Amino acid sequence: MSHSKITKNGSRRILITSALPYANGPIHLGHMLEYIQTDIWARFQKLVGNECYYVCADDTHGTPIMLSAQRQNITPEELIAKSHQDHLQDFNGFHINFDNFHSTHSEENKFYTEKVYQSLLDKGHIERRTINQLYDPDKHMFLPDRFVKGECPKCGSADQYGDNCDSCSATYNPTDLKNPKSAVSGATPILKDSEHFFVKLQDFENILKNWLKDGVSQQIENKLNEWLDVGLQQWDISRDAPYFGYSIPGHPDKFFYVWLDAPIGYLASFKNLCDKTPELEFDDFWKKSSDAEVYHFIGKDIINFHCLFWPACLHATDYRMPTSVFAHGFLTVNGTKMSKSKGTFIKASTYLENLNPEYLRYYFAAKLSGKIDDFDLNLEDFVQRVNSDLVNKYVNIASRCAKLIKKSGNQLHASIDKPMLLKEFQQSADKIAQFYEDREYGKASKVIMQLADKANIYIDEQAPWKLAKDESTADQALAICSMGIHLFHILSIYLKPVLPQLVSQVENFLKVDPLSWQDISKPLVSHELNDFKPLMKRVEPAQVEKNANQLGRSA
RNA sequence: GGCAAGGUAGCUCAGCUGGUUAGAGCACAUCACUCAUAAUGAUGGGGUCGGUGGUUCAACUCCACUCCUUGCUACCA
């Protein structure tokens, strides 16, 4: 169902998360779509005066990290420490303003994971059962799906991973693969028994159905019906040693599956923030009766984890469930999946070497909706969109007014030249706020750019440059250019969640304190400005090409 | 294979519960302007809405089938 909270009074308490990046690889632009989407929402909530916290963490456990560390001859702890630094650098580079970025390999996470498990156990939601699984006899480890390769049992294609075939898209069990090989050692896997721990998800069916009814969008609910219609099954939450993670209390050879402790990272990161922030209480947000709001931003690929397993875990632990879960689609580049060989697998760090992060923030904002549709980063469109909207329309307003104002000592006129136009700009605030709230950033951007067009039309019609030539009308010219700045001022507030860095330069130019939503109604009459300096350069198509080429090689 | 979401002008996208000549931005063309980071303004050409077949007085909007893309399919993360 739709979430259309009114954002006027600024009295809401909100906790937001993005999905945890896996500590086994670099952040790429697909990741950034989600962090930028979330960051814009968090910045918007803060801008309108709500109490809002945005937390995240590295997802550090599981077989891939263990093996990756082995291959690099380092400990998993060293690997995830390196990732943590790299990830933070990328996030900072894109102005992702986390209130806390923690790790699932932390005291807090261990504590809450065990707490969740103990609650599930105490309430009889855990069952133990022996299952049969592929095992690498050389490496002495059980093999997750993605570490078994073989021929598709249906079409015979070679080198197929795990449980589905790339070439015929058949679904099967890893044990069905013909000529299976361990992707770790190359050995032929054998079947071996092991006792696993399962969460009886069926126990939560009614709770989950009720929560879904008004907790998530129709699109997500439709998807989840696949699971609910067939009937919820048991969820395997244990993995055998060797495994990098937390061992299950009382069972030293069994470990918690990474997907159990990953979302718990949201709790852990927030707890860690609370411990650093005296006025912040964990229970105010997570106790069952909390009236704070909790939102998870995720990709469409992990809907089941966040809308079935995770709420069940929270409920069993007597915590509140999320207010809602927001899912977005996948990023494509020039219409296709990001591909290393095509040079479209773009790492965050490579992008930052060549391009301004706010170009991408704006491009994402200009096209994002609240739905789970995939998102295409079309590089040509990217250049045109950013240059046209940001430089030619928005920044241009300030640029074209600044020189005439400087002639008058950088002092804005004492009167408002066209009050009705100002009013129109101000009255768009509610509509734009609602679009931000609904994550319809594309629609918000469209309204903002329509206003920018109106500002340029106004200046064109008034032609202050003509009036400035004559002593008798010079004052009128100043009034018009001042009006242009008033409009620019409001546009800057509307764009601030998307373009924090640019708007901070604007604040310097306008000589004002950090802008807030309230400032929309406070035009800078008779205000003094600083000298205007170019606020943003155009994107050069060559930069983008360089970027793509570089990426192809370095990925 | 099953389920979900998407397939609308050259490009990127809007189009609510079906209803006059299908919209926007960019790109393109012509004209105007010259204050502005060769920016801005005005006007114009351009789609029959993936395909086929239905329902209806009327469908981009409903139904069926079909093709294509992406995701999920519970021991991948």
Side-chain angles (χ1 to χ4, degrees), chain A residues 15-48:
Chain A
L15 173 61
I16 324 176
T17 70
S18 290
L20 313 190
Y22 201 51
N24 187 31
I27 300 296
H28 54 66
L29 296 194
H31 292 110
M32 288 319 304
L33 178 64
E34 176 171 313
Y35 297 104
I36 288 173
Q37 181 191 37
T38 317
D39 186 63
I40 290 171
W41 210 71
R43 286 179 184 273
F44 166 73
Q45 296 299 351
K46 291 172 184 176
L47 192 66
V48 297

Side-chain angles (χ1 to χ4, degrees), chain A residues 249-320:
Chain A
H251 305 269
D253 287 342
K254 304 287 178 190
F255 287 77
F256 289 120
Y257 175 39
V258 57
W259 260 114
L260 180 74
D261 75 55
I264 293 171
Y266 301 140
L267 300 180
S269 186
F270 186 63
K271 173 61 174 165
N272 181 256
L273 176 66
C274 289
D275 290 345
K276 295 187 281 196
T277 315
E279 65 275 17
L280 202 53
E281 285 295 328
F282 182 88
D283 283 343
D284 286 352
F285 284 76
W286 287 103
K287 69 184 172 195
K288 207 137 210 168
S289 59
S290 169
D291 57 2
E293 299 164 43
V294 173
Y295 300 101
H296 301 302
F297 285 75
I298 61 167
K300 66 179 179 181
D301 55 328
I302 53 176
I303 287 173
N304 54 333
F305 292 102
H306 284 80
C307 298
L308 295 176
F309 307 161
W310 173 232
C313 288
L314 287 169
H315 184 262
T317 316
D318 289 321
Y319 286 139
R320 54 86 52 80

Side-chain angles (χ1 to χ4, degrees), chain A residues 69-82:
Chain A
Q70 281 175 18
R71 274 198 301 275
Q72 297 175 48
N73 258 318
I74 54 176
T75 63
E77 285 83 356
E78 287 169 323
L79 176 76
I80 64 179
K82 173 77 169 65

Side-chain angles (χ1 to χ4, degrees), chain A residues 220-232:
Chain A
I220 292 181
E221 199 181 345
N222 291 348
K223 181 57 202 163
L224 260 8
N225 281 336
E226 176 183 345
W227 298 61
L228 293 164
D229 291 347
V230 176
L232 292 174

Side-chain angles (χ1 to χ4, degrees), chain A residues 236-257:
Chain A
D236 189 347
I237 57 159
S238 66
R239 293 295 184 271
D240 288 288
Y243 194 80
F244 183 57
Y246 297 126
S247 67
I248 298 179
H251 305 269
D253 287 342
K254 304 287 178 190
F255 287 77
F256 289 120
Y257 175 39

